Amino acid sequence: MTEISDSEAVSTRTERIAKLAKQAPTMVIRTLAHHMDAAWLREAYRRTRKNGATGVDGQTADEYAKDLEGNLAKLLERAKSGNYRAPPVKRVHIPKGDGQRRPLGIPTFEDKVLQRAVAMLLEAVYEQNFLDCSYGFRPGRSAHQALGALRDALMEMGGGWVLEVDIQNYFGSIDHEHLRGVLRQRIGDGVVLRLIGKWLNAGVMEEGQLSYPESGTPQGGVISPMLSNVYLHVVLDTWFESEVRLRLRGRARLVRFADDFVIAFEREDDARRVYDVLPKRFEKYGLTLHPEKTRLVPFQKPSWSKDDDGTTGGTARETFDLLGFTLYWARSERRFWVIKLETTRSRFTRTLHKLSDWCRRNRHRAVREQWRRLCRALVGHFNYFGVMGNAGRLLALRHAAYRVWRMWLNRRSQRARVTWARMRLLSQRYPLPWPPEPRSLRS
């Protein structure tokens, strides 16, 4: 089969699964694995990232592709027969914005392909159940849409109270038994459930030591975002929409992107009631809310007597953060109060530190090569953070990038100093990109 025909075959079967799931939203679907054939695995292989880090077996995507059809045929046979053994994930640690390090598991390439194949099956089913409040790791949905939906809801309410929530070590705390119970409410296919169980029980290899965590999803694995979405769909989304909302006296809006979520309330009493009961709800499913990072923020629209920065008598404006942005009240060009977004201080600082660290480690490379790398980094940052009202932060980052670039160019030699006059000449030959026209958020 060609790549196009594989995609078309998978698309047809995906639509068939989705139609069944939509027609029977509460039915346990017991036949899914029969859709997973050679064409399905080829499509899963096509969708799997090829340049990622290697797992415990050290096999690269190029090596796997040398006998692709043979490898996929063996993989399919082992998956269907129950003989597939999930290899341990290789654990590495990556830095977080708060200076700590986050554990990340790296599956083998073959495991990534099979996880992608199962995730495609689950996506066809659960996309018919997931609610509008969920935006993370879903087709056709984005972080910008989540931010736009939240901003529009708060603008419509004229402000209110915002419950900013942080789940402690969410991906590493998901209770396996609870997760299996959640999955069985919708999935009854033995092959699919058996494979997921093997990934949950797969060991973790770290510095040559093998361990078997009793909780958590395979963070870094292809299947992990889907499992985490399914879990919070039951723990939070359906609970809030079907039980909590009915008991509220005013308007409220839940917006969730993976494990990052906030709830906006029109009334303070509603907000405080949910604030009190939310930790108990999460504790029931083995999850814990961070006591310091979970907070209730008064976010009312400022009065007309307030200053342009939203303060009166030196009182600091109330803000909250979501998905790398700080949301705050400010005046529009027509002098109306609107909600604007700017890059959070932590994300700005983290990006600048990464730029500086790269310049330090690569200061002896050719200037053109350094310039190209800095341009790619800034364009990537601008593509995400280039929204209405955030131009000041983007321009500040561009200026700071020139500053750290000059600092590390000066460390290349004690004799050839790069003065600001020389830096201005260099910037004319190698100009860093300007922020693009800001985009409006679409909910």
Side-chain angles (χ1 to χ4, degrees):
M1 272 192 177
T2 66
E3 180 178 297
I4 295 178
S5 60
D6 284 340
S7 299
E8 290 175 346
V10 169
S11 178
T12 300
R13 269 173 274 174
T14 299
E15 291 175 3
R16 195 177 305 150
I17 299 170
K19 183 178 179 180
L20 173 63
K22 189 172 184 178
Q23 289 174 344
T26 61
M27 182 182 74
V28 177
I29 300 177
R30 303 187 182 280
T31 56
L32 279 175
H34 70 280
H35 292 287
M36 191 168 62
D37 60 5
W40 192 277
L41 281 188
R42 278 195 295 267
E43 179 64 13
Y45 166 82
R46 188 183 70 82
R47 298 185 188 184
T48 301
R49 181 183 170 193
K50 308 299 190 299
N51 59 349
T54 59
V56 293
D57 62 354
Q59 187 178 46
T60 65
D62 289 340
E63 291 170 345
Y64 193 81
K66 290 179 180 178
D67 185 20
L68 180 60
E69 290 301 319
N71 286 331
L72 292 181
K74 294 174 184 176
L75 176 61
L76 181 62
E77 192 278 328
R78 283 181 285 140
K80 292 288 187 72
S81 66
N83 292 325
Y84 183 78
R85 298 183 62 184
V89 297
K90 182 171 68 176
R91 175 170 286 174
V92 297
H93 293 267
I94 60 176
K96 295 173 61 177
D98 55 6
Q100 299 180 353
R101 299 179 70 80
R102 177 169 65 92
L104 184 68
I106 304 174
T108 64
F109 181 78
E110 182 174 68
D111 209 35
K112 293 177 184 178
V113 173
L114 188 56
Q115 287 189 29
R116 174 66 66 189
V118 173
M120 288 158 56
L121 291 172
L122 296 181
E123 181 181 285
V125 174
Y126 281 103
E127 272 301 311
Q128 317 313 312
N129 291 89
F130 287 155
L131 304 180
D132 287 342
C133 60
S134 170
Y135 290 85
F137 304 109
R138 293 184 59 190
R141 294 192 152 224
S142 68
H144 285 172
Q145 290 176 333
L147 291 161
L150 179 62
R151 183 206 57 192
D152 292 348
L154 282 165
M155 288 288 293
E156 184 179 339
M157 289 188 286
W161 293 76
V162 173
L163 181 52
E164 188 179 9
V165 184
D166 182 271
I167 308 174
Q168 289 193 132
N169 187 27
Y170 171 62
F171 289 93
S173 301
I174 295 177
D175 183 86
H176 289 177
E177 286 306 311
H178 280 307
L179 177 57
R180 289 188 178 96
V182 166
L183 288 167
R184 290 192 194 102
Q185 295 175 16
R186 197 69 167 117
I187 306 298
D189 188 293
V191 172
V192 173
L193 292 176
R194 186 166 57 245
L195 286 171
I196 293 174
K198 290 181 178 182
W199 288 317
L200 293 178
N201 294 326
V204 174
M205 182 70 72
E206 183 174 7
E207 297 181 351
Q209 298 295 318
L210 183 61
S211 61
Y212 294 91
E214 297 181 357
S215 61
T217 60
Q219 191 171 359
V222 177
I223 197 70
S224 187
M226 173 57 68
L227 296 181
S228 65
N229 257 351
V230 170
Y231 202 58
L232 279 182
H233 170 72
V234 172
V235 175
L236 176 65
D237 300 355
T238 57
W239 170 74
F240 181 81
E241 296 297 337
S242 63
E243 297 185 36
V244 174
R245 187 184 292 279
L246 298 177
R247 295 174 171 83
L248 301 180
R249 300 175 63 187
R251 290 174 290 179
R253 179 66 187 268
L254 165 66
V255 173
R256 180 175 68 82
F257 189 95
D259 62 323
D260 291 320
F261 71 94
V262 300
I263 311 175
F265 299 89
E266 185 179 22
R267 296 173 58 97
E268 180 182 0
D269 56 346
D270 287 338
R272 294 198 177 279
R273 286 166 58 200
V274 176
Y275 180 66
D276 290 338
V277 75
L278 198 63
K280 301 173 186 176
R281 173 68 180 180
F282 276 70
E283 184 180 351
K284 178 181 177 181
Y285 287 87
L287 302 174
T288 305
L289 302 186
H290 197 294
E292 297 176 0
K293 296 181 181 180
T294 299
R295 63 191 187 114
L296 198 56
V297 181
F299 198 70
Q300 290 83 7
K301 180 190 296 186
S303 65
W304 284 100
S305 61
K306 289 192 175 183
D307 298 330
D308 284 353
D309 62 354
T311 64
T312 299
T315 302
R317 67 182 182 181
E318 290 291 349
T319 68
F320 68 93
D321 297 341
L322 181 66
L323 300 176
F325 286 93
T326 296
L327 284 77
Y328 65 98
W329 286 100
R331 291 193 190 274
S332 68
E333 294 181 356
R334 300 178 62 183
R335 309 300 295 163
F336 293 111
W337 285 111
V338 296
I339 297 173
K340 293 187 177 182
L341 293 84
E342 66 182 16
T343 312
T344 60
R345 290 183 180 180
S346 61
R347 185 63 68 91
F348 183 95
T349 302
R350 189 195 320 173
T351 301
L352 188 57
H353 282 171
K354 286 183 178 180
L355 291 176
S356 180
D357 183 61
W358 190 92
C359 289
R360 175 186 63 82
R361 291 183 288 104
N362 297 273
R363 60 184 182 272
H364 297 299
R365 293 180 181 270
V367 171
R368 174 177 288 275
E369 186 177 349
Q370 295 182 37
W371 168 69
R372 287 173 176 168
R373 175 61 178 80
L374 289 172
C375 286
R376 288 198 301 270
L378 287 176
V379 168
H381 185 91
F382 293 162
N383 284 342
Y384 181 74
F385 289 99
V387 302
M388 296 288 290
N390 198 31
R393 288 280 193 177
L394 302 187
L395 290 172
L397 181 65
R398 182 179 185 269
H399 178 74
Y402 273 124
R403 190 171 65 247
V404 299
W405 192 16
R406 171 180 174 267
M407 178 183 72
W408 289 111
L409 286 174
N410 270 322
R411 303 289 179 91
R412 302 207 304 181
S413 171
Q414 294 295 326
R415 291 177 296 179
R417 304 296 295 175
V418 180
T419 63
W420 274 112
R422 288 189 62 188
M423 193 66 192
R424 281 192 289 271
L425 293 175
L426 185 144
S427 67
Q428 293 175 5
R429 183 175 182 182
Y430 300 107
L432 294 180
W434 290 92
E437 285 293 320
R439 303 185 307 276
S440 60
L441 295 173
R442 295 178 298 172
S443 60

